[in-house]
Amino acid sequence: MKALRTRAAAPRPPRRWRTPPPLTRGSSENLEGMEILREVGGDAGILLWQSYRNVMLWSTAADGERSKMFSPEAGRKRLADLAASDVPAELREPVAVVGRMLGAPGDTPGEAVGEACAAVAAWAEASGNAGTGLAFTQAAALAAPASARLPFEVGQIARRRHEVARAETWFRHAIMIGRQVGDWDSYSRSYLALGNMFLQRGNLPTAQRMHVKALRASRRKGLPHIQGYALHDLFVIATETGRNEQAESYARSAFRAYGAQHEKIPALAHDIAYFWMNQGYFERALPVLQALLPHFTDQRDQLAVMANIARAAGGAGARDVFRKTWIETSRLVREPSVTPVLAQALVELATGAASLGEWDRAEQSAERALEVAQQRGENKVAARAESILESVRRGRQVDAARSTAVRREVHAEQADSLADDLVRSLEAQPIAA
């Protein structure tokens, strides 16, 4: 019998990724770049707007067409206008770069124009002109098309401005460029950003896919910091979908990937402790939350952590810790700055009080939580407050004694070890100033 001969497969051409062009204008912009005129104004605003429009037109033209777009006279006029204007000193050279590009559009490298636009964007961000910063970061990304970092930054700025559609298109653009040029950091970060956007919208399956892509890329390319972010977010998604055993695994892996001294350890510790509380493991969560408190100086963060300490103390039967924390939070809940987290914090306080049978405190906090939540349209928090009020009233009617359910946990030893590691890490980290 003749041996079968196999034909070698023809080599495949390299895969070329294509995404739709990213959005360059917000829904409220009737004129491209109008945010620049609105925010900056005066001679500086006009020159920056003209420069922005010039760069956008130049960047999107074919290479062979660029040399025909402007003239030496246009360049000389722009530089003369700049010299006669009151443009801030830090903007003069970036605007001059665009002026020289007008005089020699076919010979100006995109990297130089991109750097000039990035310099304007940095000035705008520092000056509180976020729309101008977004516009010029966008112009920089188009002028320097081999950069994946710049489109990622456009997506970040657009996301902070709640321009969700524009942000998503730029993150996908960054993924395409990152894959083409081998910028795996920007590539992975863009997948993380997309995943978090889908998570915020409640689209958990898509968020999971985005974070898994980021995790796989970071493992292949040796990016441990990205692994930590991805595993942390996957932990959050697992808790939201009730996959508790997988959540524990992600939590341990995220801690290892971050390393004990990473700046994200306090955020991870808080998320893990809250997860344990929701599972009923208050004794495990309490020391982590107590070690966490000194790491936050913002009043909203402090109130959130203290309310969780009160809830954990109540669940663990630590009445002295609960009452001490209750007194400390009574001052914070009156601060205007804590309003965004007030209803949630009051719910946690009410839960801790109810666990200890302190019905007056539980009812007081739950009623206030319900009031604040309804005013702010926080429906989930309002539902929790109503549920606590119902439990409190049942507790008063029957004078129910607090009881602790005995829980069986397969990986209790590993979880306790992680709690100890988190406490040691938090105690070793510098305290927030």
Side-chain angles (χ1 to χ4, degrees):
M1 177 183 288
K2 292 183 179 179
L4 294 175
R5 289 185 297 176
T6 59
R7 186 192 308 174
R12 292 183 178 180
R15 183 179 181 183
R16 295 193 59 81
W17 284 61
R18 288 286 180 265
T19 61
L23 297 176
T24 57
R25 186 187 302 182
S27 58
S28 62
E29 289 182 276
N30 296 323
L31 177 68
E32 190 173 51
M34 66 181 298
E35 289 279 352
I36 302 168
L37 296 171
R38 183 183 299 138
E39 291 179 347
V40 182
D43 289 346
I46 293 171
L47 281 172
L48 288 179
W49 178 73
Q50 290 174 334
S51 299
Y52 170 74
R53 294 294 299 271
N54 295 150
V55 172
M56 294 294 285
L57 183 62
W58 178 83
S59 298
T60 54
D63 291 340
E65 297 297 318
R66 285 183 176 177
S67 60
K68 308 172 187 176
M69 296 182 69
F70 308 111
S71 67
E73 178 58 29
R76 286 192 291 269
K77 184 178 184 306
R78 178 62 53 80
L79 294 174
D81 290 343
L82 174 62
S85 73
D86 60 354
V87 170
E90 55 267 54
L91 294 180
R92 289 190 170 275
E93 179 55 26
V95 173
V97 169
V98 179
R100 292 193 288 270
M101 180 269 288
L102 294 177
D107 300 325
T108 305
E111 290 74 13
V113 178
E115 288 175 8
C117 291
V120 176
W123 169 86
E125 287 283 319
S127 304
N129 298 317
T132 303
L134 172 59
F136 273 92
T137 307
Q138 185 172 269
L142 293 176
S147 169
R149 176 185 58 82
L150 287 169
F152 169 72
E153 290 180 1
V154 177
Q156 291 285 72
I157 299 170
R159 184 181 170 196
R160 288 197 295 269
R161 287 169 53 84
H162 307 292
E163 295 190 35
V164 176
R166 177 152 32 170
E168 182 174 340
T169 64
W170 280 98
F171 287 135
R172 293 191 183 279
H173 190 67
I175 289 168
M176 180 188 74
I177 300 299
R179 186 179 184 89
Q180 290 174 352
V181 303
D183 182 351
W184 301 109
D185 187 90
S186 298
Y187 173 90
S188 302
R189 287 179 185 273
S190 297
Y191 267 124
L192 288 177
L194 281 175
N196 285 325
M197 288 175 65
F198 284 112
L199 179 60
Q200 289 170 353
R201 295 181 211 169
N203 187 341
L204 300 181
T206 303
Q208 169 94 8
R209 288 199 301 273
M210 298 294 103
H211 284 103
V212 167
K213 285 177 181 291
L215 178 61
R216 288 173 177 168
S218 64
R219 284 174 169 167
R220 286 196 307 267
K221 304 302 176 180
L223 302 171
H225 57 295
I226 301 293
Q227 290 180 45
Y229 297 136
L231 288 162
H232 188 167
D233 291 332
L234 286 166
F235 159 74
V236 172
I237 294 169
T239 65
E240 291 284 333
T241 53
R243 293 174 289 125
N244 297 335
E245 188 171 336
Q246 192 170 26
E248 292 271 6
S249 176
Y250 281 137
R252 290 191 296 272
S253 297
F255 180 75
R256 287 195 298 268
Y258 276 145
Q261 298 304 306
H262 196 280
E263 62 181 7
K264 292 289 287 183
I265 289 298
L268 176 66
H270 181 271
D271 291 344
I272 294 173
Y274 196 81
F275 165 70
W276 283 332
M277 281 201 303
N278 285 341
Q279 299 305 304
Y281 304 116
F282 302 106
E283 294 87 351
R284 183 182 299 148
L286 182 56
V288 176
L289 291 166
Q290 289 173 310
L292 188 61
L293 184 58
H295 291 271
F296 295 100
T297 57
D298 181 86
Q299 289 182 327
R300 287 173 295 182
D301 294 334
Q302 288 178 334
L303 178 59
V305 175
M306 290 170 69
N308 286 331
I309 290 173
R311 178 184 168 192
R319 193 177 297 272
D320 290 344
V321 175
F322 171 82
R323 289 181 174 174
K324 179 176 181 291
T325 306
W326 178 277
I327 293 169
E328 291 171 347
T329 57
S330 63
R331 173 187 59 83
L332 268 179
V333 296
R334 293 193 292 268
E335 295 290 337
S337 65
V338 305
T339 301
V341 300
L342 180 57
Q344 180 71 40
L346 288 167
V347 161
E348 308 301 352
L349 287 168
T351 305
S355 296
L356 292 168
E358 299 204 3
W359 306 119
D360 288 339
R361 283 174 168 156
E363 187 171 30
Q364 173 190 334
S365 290
E367 286 179 343
R368 178 84 191 283
L370 179 59
E371 177 187 353
V372 175
Q374 288 176 336
Q375 288 173 353
R376 292 177 54 81
E378 298 174 10
N379 297 330
K380 289 178 66 174
V381 180
R384 278 193 65 193
E386 288 177 333
S387 176
I388 293 168
L389 281 171
E390 185 179 342
S391 298
V392 167
R393 288 158 187 159
R394 283 202 309 268
R396 275 188 166 165
Q397 290 167 0
V398 300
D399 194 22
R402 175 184 173 275
S403 62
T404 302
V406 178
R407 295 175 176 84
R408 176 179 177 273
E409 187 179 7
V410 177
H411 300 292
E413 187 174 334
Q414 290 180 334
D416 288 339
S417 176
L418 176 58
D420 292 340
D421 289 341
L422 288 169
V423 170
R424 282 193 294 269
S425 174
L426 292 167
E427 291 176 344
Q429 282 195 357
I431 301 300

